Amino acid sequence: MTGFCVLGCGTMGKALLTGIFDSIKEQDEQASKNISVPDKFYACVKFVQEAIEIEKLFAGDVGISVTDEENVQKAAASDVLLLSCKPQGAEDVLGAPGMKEALKGKLILSILAGKTIDSLKNLLDDSTRIIRIMPNTASRIRESMSVLCPAPNATEADVEFAEWAFNGIGRTMKLPEKLIDASTAMCGSGPAFVATMIEAMTDGGVMMGIPFAQAQELAAQTMVGTGQMVLQGQHPAKIRNDVSTPAGCTISGLLALEDGKIRSTIARGIEQATKTASGLGNN
Ligand SMILES: NC(=O)C1=CN([C@@H]2O[C@H](COP(=O)(O)OP(=O)(O)OC[C@H]3O[C@@H](n4cnc5c(N)ncnc54)[C@H](OP(=O)(O)O)[C@@H]3O)[C@@H](O)[C@H]2O)C=CC1
Ligand SMILES: O=C(O)[C@@H]1CCC=N1
């Protein structure tokens, strides 16, 4: 029996649980061959209102707690904990009386932006293993891009478990911890940036007479298709060249985008979000 407890079950906790439940339902036997697939789930929140929402979402599948005391009990009954409170809340959640004890020998998957492995270790017993992970809200529909950074004390089995859990809700990539703030900007914040681009393309379509709903679908599916071509190995420059007929409409549109500094604006957005992410763990 493996217990999985979400410490801080808000936007991300719910998205991840939704994806993990769907993934378990599909039961890819090959992917879960060497994994202790969780069969007991717990969610810890602060307010009753949130608990009611979780109850509505997952019916009886998740044991819910709203007090420090119950949180500690749920943590003690679990083998793996997903730490998904706000970065500033880590001290409160992990510092609850009895929590450090309850987490001894357990695996913590922390998705807290800006909260380093060292700063988490200061709040935990040496026997608690940590993997930092940066997923995104597309976990809910099992299309997350999640970056994994195992702490030195994480075992191979821990990494296999994390890869199983997060591959089930999208793609994973292992990177060193020094790159997790940039990954936070790209993957964690990324849906907001891409959604802004979808909105901007939609605005353009609406301006040119396409009704909003249709314009939005055209923009979103074009993003999905282009992303898939890149993931299947096509270089973005080739995609761009293939589309750009000499003296055609694509190159004229591209030049207008370049006049607006689209590339450096987007790249600087990632740079800025990376800098902000690196400070989020400092309270
Ligand atoms: N939002 C995103 O797109 C992404 C966020 N992240 C990271 O995920 C983490 C969570 O973000 P997000 O889901 O947006 O935040 P939310 O505020 O939606 O969720 C935080 C949750 O923590 C709970 N909580 C707060 N204090 C306690 C406590 N003392 N005991 C138990 N539960 C507690 C809250 O409960 P209640 O609701 O009752 O207050 C809430 O459910 C952050 O650290 C963020 O950096 C990572 C990738 C993407
Ligand atoms: O904006 C934030 O702080 C969080 C972290 C990554 C995505 N959202």
Side-chain angles (χ1 to χ4, degrees):
M1 221 161 53
T2 300
F4 185 92
C5 178
V6 182
L7 281 176
C9 196
T11 306
M12 282 306 293
K14 285 181 289 190
L16 286 158
L17 265 186
T18 305
I20 287 173
F21 276 129
D22 286 348
S23 153
I24 288 175
K25 258 185 238 146
E26 253 184 32
Q27 281 290 7
D28 181 340
E29 279 179 22
Q30 193 55 32
S32 58
K33 215 169 47 180
N34 302 316
I35 302 294
S36 292
V37 176
D39 50 6
K40 284 255 173 288
F41 290 87
Y42 306 106
C44 304
V45 290
K46 202 165 183 177
F47 297 109
V48 173
Q49 200 48 44
E50 184 68 46
I52 294 169
E53 206 187 303
I54 294 170
E55 179 60 32
K56 267 193 226 149
L57 262 180
F58 303 114
D61 293 338
V62 176
I64 306 167
S65 71
V66 288
T67 63
D68 280 354
E69 209 182 338
E70 286 175 320
N71 291 356
V72 170
Q73 286 166 9
K74 305 283 189 240
S78 302
D79 305 279
V80 182
L81 294 102
L82 178 77
L83 182 61
S84 52
C85 57
K86 290 288 187 204
Q88 307 86 323
E91 275 77 5
D92 270 0
V93 173
L94 299 179
M99 188 58 96
K100 193 170 172 176
E101 276 290 310
L103 295 177
K104 278 187 177 171
K106 310 272 164 93
L107 170 64
I108 297 245
L109 308 175
S110 167
I111 64 161
L112 275 47
K115 204 83 195 159
T116 60
I117 289 172
D118 277 349
S119 68
L120 289 169
K121 271 167 69 180
N122 286 336
L123 302 169
L124 296 164
D125 186 76
D126 285 348
S127 66
T128 307
R129 286 117 47 215
I130 304 168
I131 302 182
R132 268 186 89 181
I133 301 177
M134 187 44 60
N136 64 36
T137 47
S139 306
R140 194 183 299 124
I141 59 156
R142 302 176 64 199
E143 286 290 351
S144 180
M145 181 68 237
S146 307
V147 170
L148 272 61
C149 314
N153 72 352
T155 64
E156 225 170 273
D158 293 337
V159 175
E160 274 174 25
F161 178 88
E163 286 180 334
W164 166 81
F166 285 80
N167 278 333
I169 53 169
R171 280 177 181 248
T172 59
M173 184 186 289
K174 261 200 279 172
L175 286 176
E177 196 182 15
K178 66 178 182 192
L179 297 179
I180 200 159
D181 294 327
S183 308
T184 302
M186 292 194 71
C187 311
S189 304
F193 301 151
V194 174
T196 302
M197 288 180 235
I198 290 177
E199 282 190 313
M201 280 180 72
T202 304
D203 281 351
V206 170
M207 181 65 199
M208 292 295 107
I210 301 176
F212 175 83
Q214 281 86 345
Q216 186 168 264
E217 190 174 334
L218 299 187
Q221 176 55 31
T222 302
M223 289 254 179
V224 170
T226 310
Q228 286 296 352
M229 285 198 279
V230 174
L231 286 174
Q232 286 170 24
Q234 285 222 32
H235 194 292
K238 172 154 178 16
I239 295 173
R240 226 163 52 93
N241 287 345
D242 285 350
V243 184
S244 300
T245 309
C249 57
T250 308
I251 190 66
S252 83
L254 278 172
L255 291 183
L257 293 176
E258 300 287 8
D259 287 345
K261 299 194 175 166
I262 184 164
R263 282 168 196 257
S264 61
T265 303
I266 292 172
R268 293 281 180 222
I270 299 292
E271 185 185 19
Q272 187 56 47
T274 302
K275 287 180 184 160
T276 305
S278 72
L280 289 177
N282 303 335
N283 285 326

